[in-house]
Amino acid sequence: MSGNAKKSVQIQSVDPVWEAVRAGARQILDNEPSLANLVLSTVLNHDSFEEALAHRLAARLDHEDVSADLIRQAFAETLRDDPEIGIAARVDLAATMERDPACHRAVEPLLYFKGYQAIQTHRFAHAMVKAGRRDFALYLQSRSSQVFQVDINPAVPMGKGIMLDHGTGLVIGETAVVGDNVSMLQSVTLGGTGKSDQDRHPKIGNGVLIGAGAKVLGNIKVGDCSRIGAGSVVLKEVPPRVTVAGVPAKVIGEAGCAQPALVMDQMVLVYDQVS
């Protein structure tokens, strides 16, 4: 048995995330019988978290151009080649549970949260790009943008523990990189400058919090555990563990905590400013 196959078996044999998702699904079934078809078809009729995830995403992405059945088939093939997708999806779900006070059960991001669903769609698209299926990946990007209002180029590598709060209007360009444990709110742009097809997008470090409406432009580094204030326009490199804000953004103080992305505190106080 290959290393990837052994890892997949281990995940399925002891899977607290999947059990928590199923427990939430059973609660919905008891409390809201009108959603029985959704809960059964999406969660309770499946044997693994990966199957349920692929089913839910395919149902959301279904279109006459490419049916849900074809998307599920493509996702199943991708999961066989890249089981890390399932691992990352679990970490993202745990991150959403930890950071989003509106999330009360593990089943909710899987069923309802388009930010979570958009990130998982991107993970499949990114794996397909690496496997040489660029056109299918671009189709997923286009469809995800239509359905979730989140536009992430499939070439972008994403770390684990990503949380998109709301997600609406988020745009991430082709040569961007996003590290582990990053939180981004609605209308964030990780954009390029000019028409060059070279490396032109931001590199986001680990543990970064990017506030609503912030724009980070160009091939610049955003240091680990930094915080970007809502509505800021970042045009220069951001050192680690600081807060930047404004148009254009400037360093106004320390990050406020060791892991801004986990705390989700977007408040920027005037007396935090430093020279």
Side-chain angles (χ1 to χ4, degrees), residues 206-273:
N206 301 323
V208 173
L209 171 63
I210 306 180
K215 316 301 178 187
V216 187
L217 305 177
N219 183 16
I220 58 176
K221 294 182 180 179
V222 176
D224 292 349
C225 301
S226 58
R227 181 172 61 151
I228 298 174
S232 299
V233 177
V234 182
L235 303 174
K236 295 181 179 179
E237 182 168 328
V238 177
R241 297 176 293 280
V242 301
T243 294
V244 299
V247 182
K250 298 179 181 179
V251 176
I252 64 168
E254 297 180 351
C257 62
Q259 292 281 339
L262 307 187
V263 177
M264 297 294 293
D265 183 3
Q266 297 186 78
M267 295 298 294
V268 176
L269 304 177
V270 173
Y271 56 74
D272 281 341
Q273 292 185 358

Side-chain angles (χ1 to χ4, degrees), residues 164-182:
L164 300 188
D165 198 356
H166 305 292
T168 303
L170 180 123
V171 177
I172 302 179
E174 180 184 26
T175 62
V177 175
V178 178
D180 295 328
N181 299 315
V182 171

Side-chain angles (χ1 to χ4, degrees), residues 63-107:
H63 190 269
E64 61 183 12
D65 289 341
V66 182
S67 70
D69 287 340
L70 285 174
I71 294 173
R72 287 189 198 101
Q73 180 180 342
F75 283 175
E77 294 167 356
T78 303
L79 281 165
R80 283 195 295 269
D81 294 336
D82 191 353
E84 290 289 330
I85 293 172
I87 296 171
R90 287 172 173 82
V91 180
D92 294 342
L93 192 148
T96 302
M97 287 285 295
E98 179 182 8
R99 301 174 209 168
D100 188 348
C103 184
H104 304 290
R105 297 168 298 186
V107 73

